[in-house]
Amino acid sequence: MERIRTARMDELADLQRIEVASGAPFREIGMFDIADAPPLDLDVLGEGQRAGRVWVALGPDDQPIAFAVAHLVDGCAHVQQLSVHPSHARRGVGRRLLDHVAGWAGRRGLPALTLTTFRSVPWNAPYYARCGFVELSAAQVGPGLAEVLAAEAALGLDMTDRVAMHRATG
């Protein structure tokens, strides 16, 4: 089983490569804009890393195979990015990373994890539902999460296929 730890600054470019590789399956379902989207900027990753909110799952060779980035939104730990390299997909790595982030959030008194994702993509909302996330109604979306969704709309994402979800940390 892989080891999970806080990312090091010298690994951030590797995380970008993992994110790019994890976008390839979107091409197979015709979501070319998502598949070709640039990875998180190094400045964003660096800010998260310095704050201790970027975690990596390490493979047998102690190299990153997956990562998660979280930041605070509406008093919750918002999972901004979860990426697993396709060569390590479907082995529970993403779930273990989510559990790790939930443990981190719970120890800090944060009540939940939140995220936004695609409703119709099998490895998005249906996957997160299997990991304990539930869809938030429009009335349950706080102002910070509403800003996240508005920023996604400004990027041109299909908001009819976007969903905000949460999972209790306890």
Coordinates of all heavy atoms in Angstrom, one line a residue, residues 13-62:
A13 N 6.2 20.0 -9.7 CA 6.1 19.8 -11.2 C 5.7 18.4 -11.5 O 5.0 18.1 -12.4 CB 7.5 20.1 -11.8
D14 N 6.1 17.4 -10.6 CA 5.6 16.0 -10.8 C 4.1 16.0 -10.6 O 3.4 15.2 -11.3 CB 6.2 15.1 -9.7 CG 7.7 15.0 -9.9 OD1 8.2 15.0 -11.1 OD2 8.4 14.7 -8.9
L15 N 3.5 16.8 -9.7 CA 2.1 16.8 -9.5 C 1.4 17.3 -10.7 O 0.3 16.8 -11.1 CB 1.7 17.6 -8.2 CG 2.4 17.2 -6.9 CD1 1.9 17.9 -5.7 CD2 2.4 15.7 -6.7
Q16 N 2.0 18.3 -11.3 CA 1.4 18.8 -12.6 C 1.3 17.8 -13.6 O 0.3 17.6 -14.3 CB 2.2 20.0 -13.1 CG 2.0 21.3 -12.3 CD 2.7 22.5 -12.9 OE1 3.9 22.3 -13.3 NE2 2.1 23.6 -13.1
R17 N 2.4 17.0 -13.7 CA 2.4 15.9 -14.7 C 1.4 14.8 -14.4 O 0.7 14.3 -15.3 CB 3.8 15.2 -14.8 CG 4.8 16.1 -15.5 CD 6.2 15.4 -15.8 NE 7.0 15.3 -14.6 CZ 7.8 16.3 -14.1 NH1 7.8 17.5 -14.7 NH2 8.5 16.1 -13.0
I18 N 1.2 14.5 -13.1 CA 0.1 13.6 -12.7 C -1.2 14.1 -13.1 O -2.1 13.4 -13.7 CB 0.2 13.3 -11.2 CG1 1.4 12.5 -10.9 CG2 -1.1 12.6 -10.7 CD1 1.8 12.4 -9.4
E19 N -1.5 15.4 -12.9 CA -2.8 16.0 -13.2 C -3.0 16.0 -14.7 O -4.1 15.6 -15.2 CB -2.8 17.5 -12.7 CG -4.2 18.1 -12.9 CD -4.3 19.5 -12.3 OE1 -3.4 19.9 -11.6 OE2 -5.3 20.1 -12.7
V20 N -2.0 16.3 -15.5 CA -2.2 16.2 -17.0 C -2.5 14.8 -17.4 O -3.4 14.6 -18.2 CB -0.9 16.8 -17.7 CG1 -0.9 16.4 -19.2 CG2 -0.8 18.3 -17.4
A21 N -1.7 13.8 -16.9 CA -2.0 12.4 -17.2 C -3.4 12.0 -16.8 O -4.1 11.2 -17.5 CB -0.9 11.5 -16.6
S22 N -3.8 12.5 -15.6 CA -5.2 12.0 -15.1 C -6.3 12.6 -16.0 O -7.4 12.2 -15.9 CB -5.3 12.4 -13.7 OG -5.5 13.8 -13.5
G23 N -6.0 13.6 -16.8 CA -7.0 14.2 -17.7 C -7.3 13.4 -18.9 O -8.3 13.5 -19.6
A24 N -6.4 12.5 -19.3 CA -6.5 11.7 -20.5 C -7.8 10.9 -20.6 O -8.4 10.9 -21.7 CB -5.3 10.7 -20.7
P25 N -8.4 10.3 -19.6 CA -9.6 9.6 -19.7 C -10.8 10.5 -20.1 O -11.8 10.0 -20.7 CB -9.9 9.0 -18.3 CG -8.5 8.9 -17.8 CD -7.7 10.0 -18.3
F26 N -10.7 11.8 -19.9 CA -11.8 12.7 -20.3 C -11.8 12.8 -21.8 O -12.9 13.0 -22.4 CB -11.6 14.1 -19.7 CG -11.9 14.2 -18.3 CD1 -10.9 14.1 -17.3 CD2 -13.2 14.4 -17.9 CE1 -11.3 14.2 -16.0 CE2 -13.6 14.5 -16.5 CZ -12.6 14.4 -15.6
R27 N -10.7 12.6 -22.5 CA -10.7 12.6 -23.9 C -11.5 11.4 -24.5 O -12.2 11.6 -25.5 CB -9.2 12.5 -24.4 CG -9.0 12.5 -25.9 CD -7.6 12.7 -26.3 NE -7.2 14.1 -26.3 CZ -6.5 14.7 -25.3 NH1 -6.0 13.9 -24.3 NH2 -6.3 16.0 -25.3
E28 N -11.4 10.3 -23.8 CA -12.2 9.1 -24.2 C -13.7 9.3 -24.2 O -14.4 8.5 -24.8 CB -11.7 7.9 -23.4 CG -10.3 7.6 -23.6 CD -9.7 6.6 -22.5 OE1 -10.6 5.9 -21.9 OE2 -8.5 6.5 -22.4
I29 N -14.2 10.2 -23.4 CA -15.6 10.5 -23.3 C -16.0 11.8 -24.0 O -17.1 12.3 -23.8 CB -16.1 10.4 -21.9 CG1 -15.5 11.5 -21.0 CG2 -16.0 9.0 -21.3 CD1 -16.1 11.7 -19.6
G30 N -15.1 12.3 -24.8 CA -15.4 13.5 -25.6 C -15.3 14.8 -24.9 O -15.7 15.8 -25.4
M31 N -14.7 14.8 -23.7 CA -14.5 16.1 -23.0 C -13.1 16.6 -23.2 O -12.3 16.6 -22.3 CB -14.8 15.9 -21.5 CG -16.3 15.5 -21.2 SD -16.6 15.2 -19.4 CE -16.8 16.9 -18.9
F32 N -12.9 17.0 -24.4 CA -11.5 17.4 -24.9 C -11.0 18.6 -24.1 O -9.8 18.7 -23.8 CB -11.5 17.6 -26.4 CG -11.9 16.4 -27.1 CD1 -13.1 16.2 -27.7 CD2 -11.0 15.3 -27.2 CE1 -13.5 15.1 -28.4 CE2 -11.3 14.2 -27.9 CZ -12.6 14.0 -28.5
D33 N -11.9 19.6 -23.9 CA -11.5 20.8 -23.2 C -11.0 20.5 -21.8 O -10.0 21.1 -21.3 CB -12.6 21.8 -23.0 CG -13.0 22.5 -24.4 OD1 -12.2 22.3 -25.3 OD2 -14.1 23.1 -24.5
I34 N -11.6 19.5 -21.1 CA -11.2 19.1 -19.8 C -9.9 18.3 -19.9 O -8.9 18.6 -19.1 CB -12.3 18.3 -19.1 CG1 -13.6 19.1 -19.0 CG2 -11.8 17.8 -17.7 CD1 -13.5 20.4 -18.2
A35 N -9.8 17.4 -20.8 CA -8.6 16.7 -21.0 C -7.4 17.5 -21.3 O -6.3 17.2 -20.9 CB -8.8 15.7 -22.2
D36 N -7.6 18.6 -22.1 CA -6.5 19.5 -22.5 C -6.3 20.7 -21.5 O -5.5 21.6 -21.8 CB -6.8 20.0 -23.9 CG -6.7 18.9 -24.9 OD1 -6.1 17.8 -24.6 OD2 -7.4 19.0 -25.9
A37 N -7.1 20.8 -20.4 CA -6.9 21.9 -19.5 C -5.6 21.9 -18.9 O -5.0 20.8 -18.6 CB -8.0 21.9 -18.5
P38 N -5.0 23.1 -18.7 CA -3.7 23.1 -18.0 C -3.8 22.7 -16.5 O -4.9 22.8 -15.9 CB -3.3 24.6 -18.1 CG -4.6 25.3 -18.2 CD -5.5 24.4 -19.0
P39 N -2.7 22.2 -16.0 CA -2.8 21.8 -14.6 C -2.8 23.0 -13.6 O -2.6 24.1 -14.1 CB -1.5 21.0 -14.4 CG -0.6 21.6 -15.4 CD -1.4 22.0 -16.6
L40 N -3.0 22.7 -12.4 CA -2.9 23.8 -11.4 C -1.6 24.5 -11.6 O -0.5 23.9 -11.8 CB -3.0 23.3 -10.0 CG -4.4 22.8 -9.5 CD1 -4.3 22.2 -8.1 CD2 -5.4 24.0 -9.5
D41 N -1.6 25.8 -11.5 CA -0.4 26.6 -11.6 C 0.6 26.3 -10.4 O 0.2 26.0 -9.3 CB -0.8 28.1 -11.5 CG 0.3 29.1 -11.7 OD1 0.6 29.4 -12.9 OD2 0.9 29.5 -10.8
L42 N 1.9 26.4 -10.7 CA 2.9 26.1 -9.7 C 2.7 27.1 -8.5 O 3.0 26.7 -7.3 CB 4.3 26.2 -10.2 CG 4.8 25.0 -11.1 CD1 6.1 25.3 -11.7 CD2 4.8 23.8 -10.2
D43 N 2.3 28.3 -8.7 CA 2.1 29.3 -7.6 C 1.0 28.8 -6.7 O 1.1 28.9 -5.5 CB 1.8 30.7 -8.1 CG 2.9 31.3 -8.8 OD1 4.1 30.9 -8.5 OD2 2.7 32.2 -9.6
V44 N -0.1 28.2 -7.3 CA -1.2 27.7 -6.5 C -0.8 26.5 -5.7 O -1.1 26.4 -4.5 CB -2.4 27.4 -7.4 CG1 -3.5 26.6 -6.6 CG2 -3.0 28.6 -8.0
L45 N -0.1 25.6 -6.4 CA 0.5 24.4 -5.7 C 1.4 24.8 -4.6 O 1.4 24.2 -3.5 CB 1.1 23.5 -6.7 CG 0.2 22.7 -7.6 CD1 1.0 22.0 -8.7 CD2 -0.6 21.7 -6.8
G46 N 2.3 25.8 -4.9 CA 3.3 26.2 -3.9 C 2.6 26.8 -2.7 O 3.0 26.6 -1.5
E47 N 1.6 27.6 -2.9 CA 0.9 28.2 -1.8 C 0.2 27.1 -0.9 O 0.3 27.2 0.3 CB -0.2 29.2 -2.3 CG -1.1 29.8 -1.2 CD -2.2 30.6 -1.8 OE1 -2.0 31.2 -2.9 OE2 -3.3 30.7 -1.2
G48 N -0.4 26.2 -1.5 CA -1.0 25.1 -0.8 C 0.1 24.2 -0.1 O -0.1 23.8 1.1
Q49 N 1.2 24.0 -0.7 CA 2.3 23.2 -0.1 C 2.8 23.9 1.1 O 3.0 23.3 2.2 CB 3.4 22.9 -1.1 CG 4.5 22.0 -0.7 CD 5.5 22.7 0.2 OE1 5.8 23.9 0.1 NE2 6.2 21.9 1.0
R50 N 3.0 25.2 1.0 CA 3.6 26.0 2.2 C 2.6 26.0 3.3 O 3.0 26.0 4.5 CB 3.9 27.4 1.8 CG 5.2 27.5 0.9 CD 5.6 28.9 0.6 NE 4.7 29.7 -0.2 CZ 4.5 29.6 -1.5 NH1 5.4 28.8 -2.2 NH2 3.6 30.3 -2.2
A51 N 1.3 25.9 3.0 CA 0.2 25.9 4.1 C 0.0 24.5 4.6 O -0.8 24.3 5.5 CB -1.0 26.5 3.5
G52 N 0.7 23.5 4.0 CA 0.5 22.1 4.5 C -0.8 21.5 4.0 O -1.3 20.6 4.6
R53 N -1.3 21.9 2.8 CA -2.6 21.4 2.3 C -2.4 20.8 0.9 O -3.4 20.8 0.1 CB -3.6 22.6 2.2 CG -3.9 23.2 3.6 CD -5.0 24.3 3.5 NE -4.3 25.6 3.2 CZ -4.3 26.1 1.9 NH1 -4.9 25.6 0.9 NH2 -3.7 27.3 1.8
V54 N -1.3 20.2 0.7 CA -1.1 19.4 -0.5 C -0.4 18.1 -0.1 O 0.6 18.1 0.6 CB -0.1 20.1 -1.6 CG1 0.1 19.2 -2.8 CG2 -0.7 21.4 -2.0
W55 N -1.1 17.0 -0.4 CA -0.7 15.7 0.0 C -0.4 14.8 -1.2 O -1.0 14.9 -2.2 CB -1.7 15.0 0.9 CG -2.0 15.8 2.1 CD1 -1.4 15.7 3.3 CD2 -3.0 16.8 2.2 NE1 -2.0 16.6 4.2 CE2 -3.0 17.3 3.6 CE3 -4.0 17.3 1.4 CZ2 -3.8 18.3 4.0 CZ3 -4.8 18.3 1.8 CH2 -4.7 18.8 3.1
V56 N 0.6 13.9 -1.1 CA 0.9 13.0 -2.1 C 0.8 11.5 -1.6 O 1.0 11.2 -0.4 CB 2.4 13.2 -2.7 CG1 2.5 14.5 -3.4 CG2 3.4 13.1 -1.6
A57 N 0.4 10.7 -2.5 CA 0.4 9.2 -2.3 C 1.7 8.8 -3.1 O 1.9 9.1 -4.2 CB -0.8 8.5 -2.8
L58 N 2.5 8.0 -2.4 CA 3.8 7.6 -3.0 C 3.7 6.1 -3.4 O 3.1 5.3 -2.7 CB 4.9 7.7 -2.0 CG 5.1 9.1 -1.5 CD1 6.2 9.1 -0.3 CD2 5.5 10.1 -2.6
G59 N 4.2 5.8 -4.6 CA 4.3 4.4 -5.0 C 5.4 3.7 -4.4 O 6.1 4.2 -3.5
P60 N 5.6 2.4 -4.8 CA 6.6 1.6 -4.2 C 8.0 2.2 -4.4 O 8.9 1.9 -3.5 CB 6.6 0.3 -5.0 CG 5.3 0.3 -5.8 CD 4.8 1.7 -5.9
D61 N 8.3 3.0 -5.3 CA 9.6 3.6 -5.5 C 9.7 5.0 -4.8 O 10.6 5.7 -5.0 CB 9.9 3.8 -7.0 CG 8.8 4.7 -7.7 OD1 7.9 5.1 -7.1 OD2 9.0 4.9 -8.9
D62 N 8.7 5.3 -3.9 CA 8.7 6.5 -3.2 C 8.5 7.8 -4.0 O 8.8 8.9 -3.6 CB 9.9 6.7 -2.2 CG 9.6 6.1 -0.9 OD1 8.5 5.7 -0.6 OD2 10.6 6.0 -0.1

